[in-house]
């Protein structure tokens, strides 16, 4: 299905009937990442999943986005497809959006689910910090006006060496968006989340390590954590049977 939001052609899925659930996907993924979960939950709920701008079959944004742009996008989408205060389920970047939507009071869902969620500022890592600062310095030099017309190939090699896989695989507008997002810390908002919250986390998640889940569990008043053994950042895809069983026990 498609709708239009802010001039963008937006792709989404809508299946089932009953209590409403909105699924927000992770960075570089799409609504399709939830297909297995939705196949189960749509037997008792209305399940809606949307492709964020620049992901799946949704148009690329015209400019780099910040977290608040995603908040506005979700609010407009909810209105467009006729959702009424749905349960919110997010994976990775989708959790960041939910944290701020709920933590700022723009939405007050009955329940929230964070799966391997992004949004918590990572612990200091000297090696990673040096890598980031080195790339910024190299990029600054290679984009100086006097030489930038002759350094594109070198800049590509620098991105390949210093950038993450997510960064390197993204179009330029999404690269700049990713930089904006990873520097936006959701910690100030999570204490305001009053909804009953379920955390599902892969034991071996290296993208959003388990200590982040522990921090969320301690900070959100009504919160429980389920750790899936031998799973990583895509715990609900790697161990779908376990993840679906956990979701079915928490969701109506």
């Amino acid at each position: 299905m498609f709708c239009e939001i802010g001039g963008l052609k937006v792709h989404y899925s809508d299946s089932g009937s009953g209590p409403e659930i909105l699924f927000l996907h992770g960075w570089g993924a799409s609504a399709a990442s939830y297909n297995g979960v939705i196949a189960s939950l749509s037997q008792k709920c209305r399940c809606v999943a949307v492709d964020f701008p620049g992901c799946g079959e949704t148009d690329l944004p015209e400019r780099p986005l910040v977290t608040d742009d995603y908040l506005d996008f979700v609010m407009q989408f909810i209105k467009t497809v006729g959702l009424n205060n749905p349960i919110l389920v997010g994976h990775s970047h989708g959790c960041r959006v939910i944290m701020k939507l709920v933590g700022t009071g723009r939405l007050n869902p009955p329940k929230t689910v964070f799966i391997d969620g992004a949004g918590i500022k990572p612990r200091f890592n000297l090696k990673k910090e040096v890598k980031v600062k080195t790339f910024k310095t190299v990029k600054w030099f290679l984009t100086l006006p006097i030489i930038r017309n002759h350094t594109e190939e070198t800049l590509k090699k620098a991105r390949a060496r210093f950038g993450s896989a997510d960064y390197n695989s993204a179009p330029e507008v999404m690269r700049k968006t990713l930089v904006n997002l990873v520097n936006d810390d959701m910690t100030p908002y999570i204490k305001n989340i009053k909804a009953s919250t379920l955390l599902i986390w892969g034991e071996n998640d290296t993208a959003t390590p388990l200590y982040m889940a522990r921090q969320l569990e301690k900070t959100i008043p009504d919160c429980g954590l389920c750790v899936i053994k031998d799973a990583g950042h895509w715990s609900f895809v790697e161990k779908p049977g376990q993840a679906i069983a956990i979701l079915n026990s928490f969701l109506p």
Side-chain angles (χ1 to χ4, degrees):
M1 299 181 180
F2 289 91
C3 64
E4 184 175 317
I5 297 176
L8 299 180
K9 183 181 179 182
V10 173
H11 177 257
Y12 69 100
S13 65
D14 190 341
S15 58
S17 61
E20 297 174 338
I21 306 174
L22 174 60
F23 294 85
L24 301 180
H25 64 78
W27 179 264
S30 70
S33 62
Y34 288 113
N35 283 352
V37 171
I38 288 174
S40 175
L41 293 178
S42 61
Q43 298 176 35
K44 61 178 181 178
C45 300
R46 179 189 177 191
C47 296
V48 179
V50 62
D51 288 344
F52 280 133
C55 297
E57 298 180 56
T58 295
D59 290 343
L60 278 170
E62 293 183 355
R63 59 172 178 79
L65 305 179
V66 296
T67 304
D68 284 351
D69 292 318
Y70 284 90
L71 270 58
D72 292 340
F73 174 86
V74 171
M75 295 300 292
Q76 291 178 54
F77 177 76
I78 286 174
K79 183 177 180 181
T80 298
V81 301
L83 289 169
N84 182 26
N85 197 31
I87 294 167
L88 301 176
V89 177
H91 170 242
S92 194
H93 164 61
C95 298
R96 174 188 288 112
V97 177
I98 294 172
M99 287 174 193
K100 195 165 186 179
L101 276 169
V102 180
T104 56
R106 293 189 69 174
L107 287 177
N108 184 29
K111 293 182 178 181
T112 58
V113 179
F114 298 145
I115 306 173
D116 300 300
I120 302 297
K121 188 175 182 179
R123 292 172 180 169
F124 179 78
N125 183 313
L126 181 59
K127 184 178 179 180
K128 185 174 182 180
E129 189 75 12
V130 169
K131 186 177 180 180
V132 170
K133 289 185 181 298
T134 300
F135 175 65
K136 287 182 177 179
T137 301
V138 171
K139 182 180 179 182
W140 171 83
F141 175 75
L142 293 176
T143 54
L144 288 172
I146 195 170
I147 64 170
R148 64 186 176 193
N149 291 334
H150 309 285
T151 59
E152 182 58 32
E153 196 59 36
T154 305
L155 185 56
K156 286 181 181 178
K157 292 180 180 179
R159 286 196 181 109
R161 179 176 179 182
F162 295 106
S164 68
D166 284 341
Y167 183 87
N168 288 324
S169 63
E172 184 65 21
V173 67
M174 300 308 291
R175 287 176 182 166
K176 292 179 179 178
T177 295
L178 181 58
V179 171
N180 292 337
L181 296 176
V182 298
N183 291 324
D184 198 357
D185 184 18
M186 297 297 106
T187 303
Y189 308 109
I190 59 177
K191 66 180 182 297
N192 299 325
I193 297 174
K194 301 298 187 283
S196 181
T197 300
L198 170 65
L199 309 175
I200 300 176
W201 232 266
E203 177 186 33
N204 303 322
D205 189 342
T206 56
T208 53
L210 192 54
Y211 74 80
M212 294 183 176
R214 305 286 187 200
Q215 183 176 337
L216 288 169
E217 186 182 25
K218 290 179 181 178
T219 308
I220 299 172
D222 182 8
C223 186
L225 170 63
C226 292
V227 179
I228 298 182
K229 291 187 176 297
D230 300 318
H233 187 59
W234 288 83
S235 59
F236 72 110
V237 175
E238 297 169 44
K239 304 285 185 177
Q242 293 181 43
I244 289 170
I246 294 167
L247 287 166
N248 269 309
S249 69
F250 180 71
L251 299 174

